[in-house]
Amino acid sequence: MPNKKWIKVLLAIGIIFFLYIEVWGTYVAFRYEPFRKKLGDTVGYNTSSLKKDGYQYSVFKPHFLSFTGNLHITKLPYADNGQNDEIPVDIIIWPCGINDYKVGVGISGPITYYSEYSSHRVITDMVLDKDMNLLDDTPEKRALYEQNLDEIETLYHLAYEMWGILELE
């Protein structure tokens, strides 16, 4: 028969694990469900997406017991000849705390599309704060940032229109 001390330790571990699961579930419901609901009827279990006005909006809920999920906006490719020479810019938004966000900007190289699949090469990943300030500032990233500033601002405005976040003043 197990020692009463071991039973108490296992019971304490079980209670802590249960409380962690409850905190995680509450956080995910509070933090990510409002974003997912704004996408309408396209809500899935872990990933929700919506194609609207030439852009794709996605919400990725955190995996089980993780607190890191994200929101994503990217321009949809439209090319009649299977080639898209436009350099796409997309953003990934990580909620941090109650009203703070970390934003990753991805700028990709030329893309070739084969039906619904694509291959691309990422030129750079930049990290911005919610006010569009470049956090990992290098001369190369600053040049790409300034070159793609209009599209980055557009994506920030789309995030505000869809989810009410990343409002630029």
Side-chain angles (χ1 to χ4, degrees):
M1 184 166 174
N3 187 345
K4 287 185 180 183
K5 185 177 183 179
W6 282 105
I7 292 174
K8 288 180 182 179
V9 167
L10 291 175
L11 184 61
I13 290 171
I15 290 171
I16 290 169
F17 184 67
F18 176 77
L19 290 174
Y20 185 86
I21 290 172
E22 288 299 312
V23 168
W24 173 82
T26 302
Y27 171 79
V28 169
F30 174 76
R31 196 68 175 122
Y32 288 90
E33 286 306 312
F35 297 133
R36 290 166 43 103
K37 287 180 183 176
K38 291 192 178 182
L39 297 181
D41 294 332
T42 60
V43 174
Y45 180 71
N46 280 328
T47 304
S48 305
S49 64
L50 171 68
K51 293 178 182 178
K52 178 182 174 187
D53 300 328
Y55 289 88
Q56 180 165 345
Y57 303 83
S58 303
V59 176
F60 299 93
K61 219 171 71 167
H63 292 291
F64 185 60
L65 300 183
S66 169
F67 287 89
T68 305
N70 65 66
L71 315 173
H72 182 245
I73 303 174
T74 188
K75 191 171 193 175
L76 293 171
Y78 291 109
D80 296 332
N81 61 0
Q83 297 287 327
N84 186 355
D85 295 329
E86 180 180 335
I87 295 179
V89 177
D90 65 340
I91 62 172
I92 298 175
I93 305 161
W94 295 277
C96 306
I98 300 299
N99 195 23
D100 195 19
Y101 303 92
K102 184 175 162 185
V103 180
V105 176
I107 300 174
S108 301
I111 298 179
T112 303
Y113 290 94
Y114 306 99
S115 78
E116 293 184 347
Y117 301 97
S118 67
S119 63
H120 67 281
R121 133 185 106 77
V122 175
I123 293 174
T124 189
D125 286 319
M126 293 181 280
V127 180
L128 310 176
D129 65 12
K130 69 178 182 178
D131 299 317
M132 269 183 52
N133 298 314
L134 190 58
L135 297 179
D136 52 347
D137 203 352
T138 64
E140 297 84 20
K141 289 183 180 182
R142 173 62 59 186
L144 276 171
Y145 172 79
E146 290 174 1
Q147 180 182 357
N148 293 285
L149 188 57
D150 290 341
E151 185 64 25
I152 295 169
E153 284 180 352
T154 298
L155 293 171
Y156 264 68
H157 288 297
L158 291 172
Y160 180 72
E161 289 172 8
M162 177 59 72
W163 295 303
I165 60 173
L166 304 182
E167 181 178 17
L168 295 174
E169 298 168 7

